[in-house]
Structure formats: C-alpha cells, structure tokens
Amino acid sequence: MDYFKNLAELLKIEQTEDREAYLKQVSSTSVTDRRAAGLAWYPIAITGTEPSRGDYLNVEAERKTNLDVLHQFRFGSPAVLFSNHDPKNNRVEGVISYLSGDRVKINIFTEELPDWCRDGKLGIELLFDNNNYDEMFGALKQAAKLSENAVDDRLVQILTGKKSPLFFPESIALPAAGLNTSQQAAVAKIISAQDLAIVHGPPGTGKTTTLVQAISQVVKLQKQQVLVVAPSNTAVDLLSEKLSQQGLNVIRIGNPVRVSDKLMDLTLDSQMALHPYMKESKRLKKQAAEFKNMGHKYKRSFGKAERDQRKALFDEANKIMKEVAKTEEFIINDLVTKAQVITATLAGANHYTIRNLQFNTVFIDEAGQALEPACWIPILKAQKVILAGDHCQLSPTIKSTEAARKGLSTTLIEKCIALYPEAVTLLDEQYRMNDAIMGYSSAVFYGNELKAHQSVASRLLFPGDKPMLFIDTAGCAFDEKPAGTSVANPEEAAFLFRYLENLAKIVVENDPSSDFPSVAVISPYSEQVRLLKEQMINTSALHPYSNNISVNTIDSFQGQERDIVLISLTRSNPEGIIGFLSDIRRMNVAMTRARKKLVIIGDSATLSRLPFYADVINYAEQLGGYQSAWEYIG
C-alpha cells in the first residue's frame, strides 16, 4: 500500500543520513572526542562476567574517570567492547543489557572474554543503531500487509484514513476524583472508544494525571492488561512511577533514566531477582561459569585429550545454560502474565520478553514527539489505541531535512486529529501559568480555548509585577555573530544577566524571608546557551541563587516549568534572517514553561518580519509589557 511504502521510503532517507552523520563523526575523531560526544566510555574496568542467553557472555563494566561526561548509552543499544591498543582488530560487538549510573552490562556475542581484555585500555563504544530502524521497517511491512485486507485489521484502516473510529453510546467511566471537566471527558472518551481516542494536552493541563486515571480505569473496568509506551525513557519513567503509586502491578521493560529505588523495583530485572525460582537459575549459572573456567585452563594446551576435555566442559556449560534459559523464560512469562500494566519505549514494545503479546488497549504518550514509523511497533499489538500529546509543541527529532520536508515530521497524532475531531478531547484548563503568560499561546495554538485555573490565573512574582515582558533590543547594536553551525549574541547575553541581577534584587527586597524563585534562562541556539552559562558564572551577585537557576536550550526544558523564564532570541541582523526561530512550535514550548513571569528579549526589527513575533510584541504592548532595552542601559 502506498501509505506505508511512502513512510518506508522517508524512513530510508532518514536512516541513510543518520548513518552517514554517525560514520563521519566516528571515522574522523579520536576516542577522546567520541567520549566527549557521549558515544564512548573510556577507559573502563571489567568488574564481572556471567554466561548469558545463547552462547553469549554478559560483561559488567564501570567507568572510573570522566564521570561527569554526558553519554548517549541506552538499554538495548548496539555497542562494541574494544581495546585501544588495536581498536580495529581488538573488538567484539554486543548489546547494552543494563545501565545504572556509571555501571553498564554489555551482552557480547561470544562465549568467552578475548585474551586482549587482560591488557587494559578497554572501552565501550556505541555502534550505529540499525536495530531501531529494523524494528520500524518491520512494523511498516507488517502494517502494509494488514492494510490490504480490510477484514484483517480495522485499526490499521482507521489510522490510515480508510474507516472512521467508533464509540460505545454510553460512557461506563468510573467517577474519577480530582479531575476537572475536560479531564473527566477525556477519560470517558477513552473508555467508550472502540478503537481510537486522542487526548490533546496543552502545557500545564494535567495530561499525565488524566492518562494515569484512564489507564487505572481500563485495567479495573475491563480487567485487561495494558501496554503503555512513549518515545522517551523519561516519559515512560514518569508514567511507570505514577501508575505504580495507584497500586497497579507495573513492569517497566528496559532501564529507567531516573535512577530511583521505586523505579528500579518496577524493572523486569529487579522483579526477576525476587522471584522464588531465581535461586535455582543463579545456582545453575554459577555451575556453568565454573565449567567454562575449567575449560579455559586448557586454552594453551594443544593435545587431543586436552581439546576433547575442553570441548566436553564447554558442552556441559552450554547444556546447563539451556536449562537456565528455560527457567528464566518461565520466570519472565510468570511475571509478565501477572502484570496489569507493561511500560516501555516505542521500540521497547518489541523487546523479546513481550514480542508476541497482544493487548486490548495500547496507550502512546508524547505522541506529538513520536516518529510515526516507531508508533506502528506498539500499534500492531493493539485492538484499540489511545494517542496522547500535543502536536503544537516540539515535533520529533529528524536528522534529514529532506525526509522532514517530505512528511516524516508529520506525526500520527496530527494526522488523526485532522481526520477525526470526534475522537479528540482537548484538556482546556491549565494549572501552570498566569493568565497573561498563557494568553498568546492559547490564541495562536489552541483556538483561545485554554483557561487558567483560578489558583494560577493571577499569580504574580510579587505584588504589582508584570507577568509578561518583551524587552526590545532594536537599535542597541546587539549584533548576532555566526559561530560554526550556531549563532550567538554576546551583548544580548550580557544584557539578560544584568536584567536578571536587577530582578533578583527586587524579588529579594519584596520578600526576603521566602525561597528564591526557580529560574530558566533559555535560548534556541547552543552557542548562545554556552555564552549564557559563562555569564552566569561571571555574575557573582547571582551565585547565592545558582541552584535555582538553570541555563539551557528550549528542547531540554520540554515538560518542565519554572517560576521565571527568560528567553534570549539571539537573532539580530539587517536582513531579518531568523533561521529556526521560524519553528513557532519550539517557541510555544519556550513561552509556556513560565509560571509567574515570562521575559522575552529580542530585536523587533529582525523578528517582526515573521507575523508570529510581530504579534507577540503587540500582545506584550497591549498588556503594558513592552519595554525598550534602552530603558535599562541608561
């Protein structure tokens, strides 16, 4: 079918570009550079090994230095164990099977550690992740096959626009305590949906709370096991924790990013460790390891008798490991069968432990940030799908501009909202922002339908403060400077911190006894973020409050909120070029992080050529929140 063929072609373009960018980065850099880019841990120390499924070996390792370097390691990522003495030849591939803090386990595709592991200078490096792409291509192929037979899969027909979703006439939702009217309507819609329901959750409207209530009701009313997925580990973690707090039996497939004891207890590994049959499995594993160790002693003896003895020991170890595999399979099946909710990332929905399971209902959270091909992995396990998210915030990360332009950036939730308004519930009451901060976003993105809950509607930083400001740097000669692929504006960065220093004084004078408010300093440009972080270090008056002030890109604040948000728009040039500031969904994210005060700093002469920014400035003016930077420079 053309629908899936087209998606697969776009995914192929993305995969090619993604792989080329990865190979370029890896081939032209040293291990130190790759470590800095988060692609490698080096050096590492091996802290233990144990036999694993099949003829594989689980190697546990720890990084001893560079502990503060952020990395891109994830559960399930393909990786390679290597020796830096001869990295081209001394390497063995595997998959990351566990990750916690500075400890990692890599399941390597060999049954014994290579000799070169004794010589030190070891590291683990990520390989290009074809697995995720393979899962997506596989899902698209399967969906295409199903779509050819209308009888076979009604859900595929609905999601590709061939049939309309159906709803049971009356809602059987249980009364949900603490939900507002639109949240209750969303839960009722989910319960009454036969195949598709959509929860559109703008910033601060309690989407997670609503989903948790809906999932609880589906489990309790329909006595069904539910699959809950999201594109990011962080979103999966949040839902796993909240669902567990509701008293539901949750299994988290994969490793949590937020390493809390509560979350760790939900993982399959932790639950397996507590299973009564696990003692037997451990005893057998130990026995297999002992046989293999005995076999290793014959390594450098070449006589026939020694070779036969070594083979016999290895055969015995492998026979025992087959018993281990059977025992662990039983344990996994037992735990998975008893779970009420299984949570995973989109690709994690095809993890070997749940690959063959089918679910009555699958919930996809953060669907506005999910690549459509990835969504089909869990959808193929479902009779009914609930999509939740906000397509007016950040879209999925796509490496290829060509694939994005041709439609890969259009998400499944966007398509379904356009096709089936009857399936959509908009959560329309928000609990985060002052009315004035919310107003512009509500008008541009949500048809003026958002309302601020009375507890936040008129909340201010201090009495008489203006909740929204646009500070105009036009005519101040704050010119942008190109910086590689990024852009910076040193004068604007310095100005922002002078303004924040002044604001901090006023806040403290107004209420010296209260805690200092939380602050986000945001810019869309990474080079500007670097300058802003530098300014923060150099502004000694703010050091007492440094724990309350975060400086980062817009994308890193998705899903977060702060009392005060200051946005440095950075662009200032005579041609009016604004680059990816024209992605207004990113600006929607930036502006809706603020609870009590939003300050946007930018050059109106450059920005006003795009109606969105001209209207932001007019909106601030109507609120009495337009100021020129000259007012502060004098």
Side-chain angles (χ1 to χ4, degrees):
M1 183 191 177
D2 287 349
Y3 184 94
F4 293 105
K5 192 179 167 193
N6 177 49
L7 266 181
E9 280 168 7
L10 295 179
L11 190 61
K12 190 77 196 157
I13 295 168
E14 170 70 1
Q15 181 188 29
T16 304
E17 200 150 324
D18 193 6
R19 189 195 290 114
E20 280 170 7
Y22 170 84
L23 293 174
K24 192 176 169 190
Q25 189 173 17
V26 167
S27 62
S28 63
T29 55
S30 66
V31 70
T32 314
D33 293 333
R34 296 198 294 278
R35 180 176 65 199
L39 298 173
W41 280 15
Y42 179 81
I44 54 124
I46 290 175
T47 53
T49 62
E50 62 172 15
S52 177
R53 293 167 65 84
D55 295 335
Y56 297 160
L57 187 70
N58 234 342
V59 178
E60 189 175 308
E62 213 172 332
R63 57 175 179 173
K64 301 287 190 186
T65 59
N66 305 95
L67 305 185
D68 55 338
V69 177
L70 295 171
H71 62 83
Q72 297 176 39
F73 282 32
R74 296 287 176 268
F75 170 84
S77 297
V80 63
L81 174 69
F82 69 92
S83 158
N84 214 30
H85 288 296
D86 185 0
K88 278 201 167 55
N89 298 310
N90 293 351
R91 52 194 285 121
V92 57
E93 291 186 9
V95 170
I96 290 173
S97 57
Y98 177 81
L99 189 66
S100 174
D102 295 303
R103 282 174 54 239
V104 68
K105 284 183 186 172
I106 177 171
N107 198 6
I108 58 172
F109 306 153
T110 175
E111 52 184 286
E112 53 186 315
L113 267 183
D115 286 346
W116 47 258
C117 286
R118 296 189 184 88
D119 304 331
K121 292 188 89 170
L122 299 178
I124 295 172
E125 181 163 55
L126 290 178
L127 293 169
F128 179 73
D129 193 350
N130 268 315
N131 297 352
N132 271 358
Y133 283 105
D134 290 346
E135 295 285 9
M136 288 190 271
F137 282 121
L140 293 177
K141 199 172 173 184
Q142 200 183 330
K145 204 177 281 180
L146 287 169
S147 71
E148 287 160 13
N149 184 350
V151 181
D152 245 17
D153 208 303
R154 182 182 153 72
L155 186 58
V156 177
Q157 302 288 321
I158 289 164
L159 295 173
T160 54
K162 294 283 177 66
K163 288 183 178 173
S164 293
L166 297 175
F167 297 85
F168 292 110
E170 50 205 60
S171 164
I172 47 165
L174 302 166
L179 294 190
N180 66 36
T181 311
S182 66
Q183 290 170 335
Q184 283 174 5
V187 173
K189 179 79 78 178
I190 287 167
I191 300 295
S192 67
Q194 290 188 32
D195 23 54
L196 173 70
I198 299 162
V199 180
H200 183 189
T205 53
K207 172 176 63 73
T208 303
T209 305
T210 308
L211 278 186
V212 167
Q213 285 293 333
I215 292 162
S216 299
Q217 291 211 23
V218 168
V219 169
K220 285 166 189 168
L221 284 171
Q222 296 168 344
K223 305 281 184 281
Q224 298 263 3
Q225 189 180 57
V226 168
L227 176 64
V228 178
V229 292
S232 77
N233 274 295
T234 312
V236 178
D237 289 352
L238 179 64
L239 280 164
S240 303
E241 207 163 351
K242 301 264 186 205
L243 289 162
S244 175
Q245 285 164 5
Q246 289 285 308
L248 295 172
N249 179 354
V250 179
I251 283 187
R252 162 77 159 99
I253 303 290
N255 273 140
V257 169
R258 294 159 58 199
V259 188
S260 70
D261 291 344
K262 264 187 200 157
L263 268 171
M264 282 304 179
D265 291 346
L266 302 180
T267 63
L268 188 59
D269 282 354
S270 291
Q271 294 190 32
M272 282 178 77
L274 298 171
H275 197 280
Y277 281 26
M278 202 60 191
K279 257 188 188 151
E280 175 62 6
S281 175
K282 275 185 176 164
R283 187 188 67 76
L284 288 169
K285 261 188 192 174
K286 198 175 170 190
Q287 206 180 339
E290 281 165 5
F291 278 124
K292 285 200 169 183
N293 287 338
M294 285 158 70
H296 289 149
K297 287 174 186 163
Y298 291 98
K299 211 166 199 178
R300 289 177 178 79
S301 306
F302 295 100
K304 184 182 181 312
E306 285 87 353
R307 272 204 306 273
D308 289 348
Q309 185 64 28
R310 176 183 154 102
K311 186 180 179 306
L313 288 163
F314 270 95
D315 285 349
E316 190 56 37
N318 289 336
K319 204 159 84 184
I320 294 168
M321 282 310 294
K322 278 182 183 146
E323 280 306 305
V324 169
K326 274 187 202 159
T327 308
E328 291 193 353
E329 203 172 309
F330 172 80
I331 294 168
I332 289 165
N333 288 341
D334 187 43
L335 290 168
V336 166
T337 306
K338 288 174 181 165
Q340 292 170 298
V341 182
I342 293 169
T343 64
T345 58
L346 296 169
N350 228 6
H351 189 255
Y352 76 89
T353 52
I354 58 168
R355 184 166 289 149
N356 300 319
L357 292 187
Q358 289 292 311
F359 298 86
N360 181 58
T361 310
V362 169
F363 286 79
I364 303 181
D365 191 17
E366 278 192 349
Q369 283 186 270
L371 272 185
E372 182 178 347
C375 289
W376 284 98
I377 301 168
I379 287 169
L380 291 170
K381 299 175 173 297
Q383 289 172 37
K384 162 173 160 179
V385 168
I386 312 303
L387 299 173
D390 183 11
H391 57 294
C392 303
Q393 293 187 64
L394 288 176
S395 50
T397 304
I398 296 174
K399 304 275 195 328
S400 165
T401 47
E402 184 193 350
R405 195 182 69 248
K406 289 182 173 174
L408 192 61
S409 61
T410 306
T411 57
L412 186 61
I413 194 172
E414 278 176 89
K415 292 177 182 177
C416 290
I417 285 173
L419 283 168
Y420 310 119
E422 71 276 18
V424 183
T425 309
L426 174 75
L427 303 180
D428 60 14
E429 190 165 20
Q430 64 83 18
Y431 297 82
R432 176 183 298 166
M433 295 164 268
N434 177 293
D435 218 359
I437 296 169
M438 175 199 77
Y440 186 70
S441 186
S442 177
V444 174
F445 296 99
Y446 308 108
N448 265 328
E449 288 191 54
L450 288 193
K451 50 186 183 282
H453 186 261
Q454 59 184 29
S455 62
V456 301
S458 49
R459 190 169 60 174
L460 296 170
L461 204 52
F462 51 83
D465 186 39
K466 289 199 184 330
M468 180 179 171
L469 286 181
F470 183 92
I471 302 177
D472 192 354
T473 64
C476 295
F478 290 3
D479 298 331
E480 66 179 63
K481 314 247 181 315
T485 54
S486 191
V487 177
N489 192 324
E491 285 87 359
E492 187 173 287
F495 173 81
L496 183 147
F497 271 93
R498 282 201 302 278
Y499 172 84
L500 181 55
E501 189 180 336
N502 193 40
L503 180 64
K505 265 186 217 156
I506 299 166
V507 168
V508 172
E509 280 164 14
N510 267 276
D511 193 354
S513 59
S514 287
D515 289 340
F516 191 77
S518 58
V519 181
V521 177
I522 299 178
S523 173
Y525 292 97
S526 55
E527 186 57 24
Q528 184 70 349
V529 168
R530 193 187 66 74
L531 286 185
L532 289 162
K533 285 181 174 175
E534 225 169 69
Q535 285 290 338
M536 177 68 203
I537 292 163
N538 295 330
T539 310
S540 54
L542 292 173
H543 288 178
Y545 320 117
S546 59
N547 289 342
N548 298 50
I549 302 171
S550 316
V551 183
N552 220 322
T553 58
I554 294 171
D555 299 36
S556 68
F557 281 105
Q558 170 104 340
Q560 298 185 40
E561 55 187 67
R562 297 289 189 275
D563 294 321
I564 305 166
V565 169
L566 299 102
I567 307 172
S568 167
L569 292 178
T570 309
R571 301 309 297 248
S572 177
N573 57 71
E575 298 77 29
I577 296 165
I578 63 168
F580 73 15
L581 280 191
S582 54
D583 179 359
I584 60 173
R585 292 193 293 191
R586 186 172 261 108
M587 277 310 294
N588 185 33
V589 173
M591 293 166 72
T592 54
R593 301 307 95 200
R595 293 189 194 109
K596 300 176 185 176
K597 190 175 184 73
L598 170 66
V599 182
I600 303 172
I601 299 170
D603 179 345
S604 64
T606 299
L607 299 165
S608 294
R609 301 192 194 187
L610 192 74
F612 176 85
Y613 292 101
D615 293 346
V616 167
I617 296 163
N618 288 337
Y619 177 75
E621 220 160 353
Q622 286 159 20
L623 294 170
Y626 172 86
Q627 293 176 341
S628 166
W630 284 108
E631 293 175 39
Y632 295 91
I633 291 170

